[in-house]
Amino acid sequence: MKVKVRFFAASREAMGTGEIEQEIPPGSTVEELMTLLANEYPALRPYARLIKVAVNRQYAAPETELREGDEVACLPPVGGG
Amino acid sequence: MKVKVRFFAASREAMGTGEIEQEIPPGSTVEELMTLLANEYPALRPYARLIKVAVNRQYAAPETELREGDEVACLPPVGGG
Amino acid sequence: MKLFEITTEDISVDEVVARLANPAIGAVITFVGVVRGNSEGREVRYLEYEAYPEMAEETLRQIGDEVRTRWKTIREVAIVHRVGRLEVGEISVVIALSAAHRPQVFDAARYAIDRLKEIVPIWKKEVWKGGEEWKSER
Amino acid sequence: MKLFEITTEDISVDEVVARLANPAIGAVITFVGVVRGNSEGREVRYLEYEAYPEMAEETLRQIGDEVRTRWKTIREVAIVHRVGRLEVGEISVVIALSAAHRPQVFDAARYAIDRLKEIVPIWKKEVWKGGEEWKSER
């Protein structure tokens, strides 16, 4: 199945893009997606441990199961204000 | 000797004026001036106990001695903000 | 530009914040007093503020000094208070404090408004339908 | 008028305060973030703010809900954050909280800015002469 993955700030610059479509095995969790991305995109590795993940605009735990079409966002430490 | 006495808010309305010149005995204190004013202007009496006094734009204690030409202000409880 | 002012004109928060402009500041806290439409169940028509302006500006400056003595992180303080007739919804006072960083500015802002209500010679008369009253904190 | 907004335009404090207009309010506290000209000894040329705008507006709204749940005296909250390139001295964020009376609004304002820096998906890149860096609180 496919999910949309969005990247911001340092992770966006590392990826060279703000958005990809990613094919993942049905029933994958957030954690499994992140492991898969780190394997596939070495540039992302320095950020992998810092990134929090949002699924459909909500912060999501690593064990959250993903569904077809979900919008997953990779959020480096925020710095608003 | 003479001092200028200014009235504000409720005390100004009670006096019907914002400012008077008051003749007082040389060496009078703030407290003596206030007693004198309360005797001379009955309208002021309801406010006399609430009023704080400033001399030359500084809060002044009752025992402060007045000098010729001082600007004395009668300040009812303040309500800014 | 005066940092401590009694005015009869409309107050703009942006304009007061601009008085603190300095490349070293990263945060400004403002307290904005607004004329409320009701008080103790009565519908307020308008307020009349009166000041002893010369002394009021001096005591505002004194509050600024007190704040900067107590909170070393506070860079600058500006306080502008309006007097005269104010309608419901209009701004009566703006207190603005600037700092390089945000910690402590909230305590300092609270102190400034508390002191203003305590020592600054400004009085407020509430005017409602059929009556009026001078109001104070105490 | 949106109470929680990510914008690319200049922010006016007066305009944000006006979004809270209501005859029942007597006090508004604002926290105003301003771009500082230096950071850790480096002269900042400008900042670049980036947001995940849809989620950022939702988390701003969440902060507003949290504040009003914790502090019952808070009537309304508005938060406007600017993104894109910001020059030194420009306003990055305005948080405004309104209340009938002033007690507690300072604690509530402090909570709001602390939470904003913690959970809202907005990022800040500092650009100085000869370098740049993404900054975060932690």
Side-chain angles (χ1 to χ4, degrees), chain C residues 12 61 135:
Chain C
S12 151
R61 179 181 316 282
K135 308 289 284 184

Side-chain angles (χ1 to χ4, degrees), chain B residues 9 12-13 59 71 76 79 81, chain C residues 49-50 52 119 122-123 125 134:
Chain B
R12 175 183 54 72
E13 291 183 338
Y59 285 103
E71 176 171 307
Chain C
Y49 280 94
E50 174 175 341
Y52 180 8
I119 67 166
I122 296 178
W123 299 270
K125 181 162 49 175
W134 290 99

Side-chain angles (χ1 to χ4, degrees), chain C residues 78-89:
Chain C
I79 310 180
V80 181
H81 202 302
R82 186 172 166 193
V83 295
R85 175 176 169 150
L86 273 77
E87 310 297 328
V88 171

Side-chain angles (χ1 to χ4, degrees), chain A residues 9 12-13 59 71 76 79 81, chain D residues 49-50 52 119 122-123 125 134:
Chain A
R12 175 183 53 72
E13 292 183 336
Y59 285 104
E71 176 172 304
Chain D
Y49 280 94
E50 173 175 341
Y52 180 7
I119 68 166
I122 296 179
W123 299 270
K125 181 162 49 176
W134 289 99

Side-chain angles (χ1 to χ4, degrees), chain B residues 6-10 12-13 52 54 56-59 71-81, chain C residues 49-52 54-55 81 92-93 116-125 134-138:
Chain B
R6 296 181 67 172
F7 302 96
F8 294 94
R12 175 183 54 72
E13 291 183 338
K52 289 191 181 178
N56 300 328
R57 304 175 189 175
Q58 303 260 9
Y59 285 103
E71 176 171 307
V72 181
C74 292
L75 312 176
V78 299
Chain C
Y49 280 94
E50 174 175 341
Y52 180 8
E54 309 91 324
M55 181 176 167
H81 202 302
S92 56
V93 62
L116 186 152
K117 289 178 181 272
E118 193 181 341
I119 67 166
V120 180
I122 296 178
W123 299 270
K124 177 169 68 180
K125 181 162 49 175
W134 290 99
K135 308 289 284 184
S136 71
E137 288 283 302
R138 285 151 300 169

Side-chain angles (χ1 to χ4, degrees), chain C residues 50-123:
Chain C
E50 174 175 341
Y52 180 8
E54 309 91 324
M55 181 176 167
E57 290 190 353
E58 274 181 36
T59 50
L60 293 178
R61 179 181 316 282
Q62 176 192 330
I63 292 169
D65 290 344
E66 287 174 8
V67 165
R68 298 204 301 168
T69 303
R70 284 186 175 221
W71 288 276
K72 298 300 184 192
T73 52
I74 299 298
R75 191 127 192 138
E76 211 65 79
V77 179
I79 310 180
V80 181
H81 202 302
R82 186 172 166 193
V83 295
R85 175 176 169 150
L86 273 77
E87 310 297 328
V88 171
E90 289 191 313
I91 293 175
S92 56
V93 62
V94 173
I95 300 177
L97 298 86
S98 65
H101 301 281
R102 76 185 187 285
Q104 301 186 303
V105 286
F106 296 95
D107 290 341
R110 182 199 319 241
Y111 177 85
I113 178 65
D114 287 349
R115 285 293 274 163
L116 186 152
K117 289 178 181 272
E118 193 181 341
I119 67 166
V120 180
I122 296 178
W123 299 270

Side-chain angles (χ1 to χ4, degrees), chain A residues 7-8 14 27 34 44 48-49 52 58 61-62 66 69 72-73 75:
Chain A
F7 302 97
F8 294 93
M34 294 309 291
L44 199 61
R49 292 188 58 175
K52 289 190 180 179
Q58 303 259 9
L66 296 170
V72 181
L75 312 175

